[in-house]
Amino acid sequence: MKNANKLQIVYPDEEHGVRHPHCPHGPTLLFQTFNQLADKPTSAYYACAAHRDKSLCNFQFPAEQITPQKLTKRYDLESHINSYKKQRRKLLAGYNDGGLHYCLHCNVPLLRDNHTEHAAHEMIWNLTHELLCDPTRFLRPLDDDKSQAQYFFDNKALKFFGNCFQDLGVTKVVCMGAPRLHAFFRNNFSDMQSFLLDFDHRMFFFYDDNNFAWYNMCNNHFFDKLQRLKFEKFLKCKPKDKLLIFTDPPFGCRTEPIAGTLRQLTHTFNLLNNLPHQPLAIFWIFPYFSEHYIQKEMPHMRMCEYKVNYTNHGAYTNVGEKCRKLGSPVRVFTNVRLELLHLPVEEEYKYCALCQRYTALENRHCAKCGNCPSKNGSTYRHCELCGCCVKPNYVHCINCRRCTQAEEHECEMYQANQHCWICLQKGHTELMCAMWRKHHKDVGFVNRGDQIIMCLLCKRKGHNERNCRRRNKYLEELTFMGVTEVKIK
Ligand code: SAH
Ligand code: ZN
Ligand code: ZN
Ligand code: ZN
Ligand code: ZN
């Protein structure tokens, strides 16, 4: 069975002529369902970049009905912005007078005399300097998983990032969707500047335009022009500066728009500093199982094994009863060389001399694979029939030529979701690869009694086609924008 419909997400890029209509949250994304067999889009519509939940933003517009008026319409949020900034002024004034409170229900700062209408609401009385310096310690996290999904780092993670950036000589950090990290840098690192880009308007109350902008990271949209200018000023660097972009997006976010934004920010950085095409250092926090999606967008990104824990997430933490046996699945993806990152030994990481980098304590170096193979926090074992290391609880299926979960394994369905190790396409495994079969009629022959895999390309035993060192003798591969096209030589 071939899945012919593919969803494609087109990122708005006005500078390069890709114009999309706006919703109140900035330029929309174009969602195209693409029929691979017919080689054309079957449906295409514009929808809000930030909200996947229609009750939060119901903008949706069919692409074929687009008009010039629709394309130029803009939404003005100035009155909101002004009122948020007014709240900040009030907060500062109230703080200087003593007696500043905060209503957690209405999300507004309150002065001594105007809290009667909040009598039944949960309040924080007498905000201390300490709380004001890190509002994530008392604000209710926005826990709507469909868009904002606010999960805050635990102190160990904060310390790890702080140490990493010091080791790397970072002087400026852009915290995109990372308010607690922003506060951490402001409060603890005087030689590191931080700028917060976040969708949470409450940050207006605690930071001014010099280090915060109300922002949508799914389309690189600044809601306030002045804040955008201040941010551009921040991006301008002196020769000694080293700037890094740190982002911890909600895990429900697609990788395409985040990657699009990271590319645009890199582009702006180069423009402002008169640089040719210097890549920006990036830390992108995301679950390990999204590695494939990140690398499809940004092939240079590598996964660092540090397990990121949050204080207010039941499963993505290492404490509490709901926590997972293998620890948090959240990792750091980065274009910084992994050899440069020192994972803390006191948090159960170790140095692998063969890989020349830090790895998790449970990860065991495999001489056959030549790496420390674990991704998910368990100890992998080498499967001779797969020719690679696999999760410890997996069992090998001869039909599928893969190790997989034993429960509810159904060969046909499983293979439909696999990527072929020869042509790299999804939907079949090597024995079914039409491209290879066309040229190699003998492919159907495999000895079911074999105890070790034979590579169909070079016919040698012990490794699979994906890891075949003579791969380029048989196949021609062309990678463009993260998509690899494979042809037989
Ligand atoms: N772990 C981080 C917080 C990550 S939670 C820390 O401790 O600092 C995700 C953050 O992304 C939240 O602060 C949320 O407000 C922000 N966010 C969610 N959607 C966004 C969007 N479209 N644009 C910008 N920020 C967004
Ligand atoms: Zn190793
Ligand atoms: Zn191995
Ligand atoms: Zn196997
Ligand atoms: Zn194939």
Side-chain angles (χ1 to χ4, degrees), residues 420 423 428 433:
C420 170
C423 73
H428 62 269
C433 181

Side-chain angles (χ1 to χ4, degrees), residues 111-177:
L111 302 185
R112 189 175 313 155
D113 49 347
N114 64 357
H115 49 77
T116 40
E117 57 196 274
H118 303 271
H121 299 167
E122 193 173 350
M123 303 270 292
I124 301 274
W125 297 104
N126 297 312
L127 276 178
T128 58
H129 178 70
E130 208 182 352
L131 286 181
L132 277 176
C133 286
D134 185 357
T136 68
R137 303 281 169 177
F138 72 91
L139 290 177
R140 286 283 128 78
L142 304 171
D143 58 2
D144 150 40
D145 267 336
K146 279 224 170 80
S147 47
Q148 249 134 309
Q150 255 172 351
Y151 296 110
F152 298 123
F153 295 130
D154 75 353
N155 289 339
K156 285 184 180 159
L158 294 171
K159 189 171 151 217
F160 168 65
F161 296 132
N163 289 344
C164 273
F165 296 172
Q166 263 186 333
D167 288 348
L168 294 170
V170 171
T171 59
K172 288 183 169 190
V173 189
V174 176
C175 291
M176 186 165 105

Side-chain angles (χ1 to χ4, degrees), residues 14 19-28 46 58-59 61 66-77 219 221:
E14 288 177 4
R19 290 175 68 206
H20 290 181
H22 283 222
C23 77
H25 309 98
T28 53
Y46 296 100
N58 64 4
F59 187 99
F61 202 78
I66 203 76
T67 58
Q69 288 91 317
K70 213 52 196 172
L71 267 182
T72 45
K73 178 163 172 56
R74 294 291 177 269
Y75 294 78
D76 188 4
L77 300 186
N219 53 11
H221 179 69

Side-chain angles (χ1 to χ4, degrees), residues 366 369 382 388-389:
C366 172
C369 292
H382 193 84
C388 59
C389 281

Side-chain angles (χ1 to χ4, degrees), residues 342-366:
H342 298 252
L343 311 195
V345 184
E346 64 279 13
E347 283 187 63
E348 310 212 313
Y349 298 94
K350 65 179 178 192
Y351 187 74
C352 174
L354 294 161
C355 293
Q356 297 194 332
R357 56 185 177 83
Y358 282 84
T359 177
L361 199 57
E362 72 278 355
N363 207 347
R364 210 162 46 210
H365 190 90
C366 172

Side-chain angles (χ1 to χ4, degrees), residues 90-336:
K90 178 164 139 192
L91 180 145
L92 287 176
Y95 183 67
N96 293 333
D97 281 359
L100 174 68
H101 322 297
Y102 190 89
C103 176
L104 290 170
H105 181 77
C106 307
N107 271 310
V108 281
L110 299 171
L111 302 185
R112 189 175 313 155
D113 49 347
N114 64 357
H115 49 77
T116 40
E117 57 196 274
H118 303 271
H121 299 167
E122 193 173 350
M123 303 270 292
I124 301 274
W125 297 104
N126 297 312
L127 276 178
T128 58
H129 178 70
E130 208 182 352
L131 286 181
L132 277 176
C133 286
D134 185 357
T136 68
R137 303 281 169 177
F138 72 91
L139 290 177
R140 286 283 128 78
L142 304 171
D143 58 2
D144 150 40
D145 267 336
K146 279 224 170 80
S147 47
Q148 249 134 309
Q150 255 172 351
Y151 296 110
F152 298 123
F153 295 130
D154 75 353
N155 289 339
K156 285 184 180 159
L158 294 171
K159 189 171 151 217
F160 168 65
F161 296 132
N163 289 344
C164 273
F165 296 172
Q166 263 186 333
D167 288 348
L168 294 170
V170 171
T171 59
K172 288 183 169 190
V173 189
V174 176
C175 291
M176 186 165 105
R180 180 169 285 180
L181 187 73
H182 175 65
F184 177 72
F185 284 131
R186 280 175 63 78
N187 298 333
N188 298 289
F189 292 81
S190 52
D191 48 357
M192 215 181 299
Q193 285 173 272
S194 176
F195 201 107
L196 173 64
L197 300 175
D198 205 286
F199 203 57
D200 183 352
H201 75 267
R202 296 175 303 182
M203 297 301 149
F204 268 106
F205 310 151
F206 307 99
Y207 301 112
D208 62 35
D209 298 347
N210 288 315
N211 63 91
F212 164 70
W214 194 27
Y215 176 79
N216 185 351
M217 67 162 106
C218 298
N219 53 11
N220 189 26
H221 179 69
F222 290 80
F223 294 98
D224 182 36
K225 275 201 200 78
L226 186 65
Q227 288 181 334
R228 196 190 71 217
L229 292 174
K230 295 276 190 182
F231 176 68
E232 287 180 356
K233 202 168 151 203
F234 180 83
L235 284 187
K236 277 207 182 146
C237 285
K238 302 206 172 68
K240 66 158 183 43
D241 277 331
K242 204 164 165 187
L243 189 132
L244 180 142
I245 300 192
F246 183 101
T247 185
D248 186 9
F251 303 143
C253 264
R254 298 271 304 205
T255 47
E256 296 93 332
I258 306 292
T261 292
L262 291 170
R263 277 192 283 272
Q264 280 201 351
L265 289 176
T266 305
H267 178 71
T268 310
F269 170 81
N270 280 304
L271 267 183
L272 288 169
N273 291 291
N274 294 315
L275 294 164
H277 300 288
Q278 187 174 307
L280 271 180
I282 296 171
F283 267 44
W284 177 344
I285 313 303
F286 232 47
Y288 74 82
F289 42 79
S290 299
E291 181 179 31
H292 173 75
Y293 296 100
I294 291 188
Q295 289 179 345
K296 209 167 135 193
E297 293 300 315
M298 306 189 118
H300 302 301
M301 299 291 266
R302 292 285 171 272
M303 191 181 100
C304 159
E305 279 178 59
Y306 186 80
K307 300 184 188 85
V308 179
N309 290 313
Y310 298 91
T311 51
N312 61 325
H313 196 295
Y316 292 4
T317 168
N318 57 349
V319 289
E321 49 197 59
K322 274 207 269 170
C323 87
R324 299 175 165 213
K325 213 168 66 233
L326 301 176
S328 167
V330 184
R331 303 287 186 272
V332 180
F333 292 87
T334 180
N335 54 0
V336 171

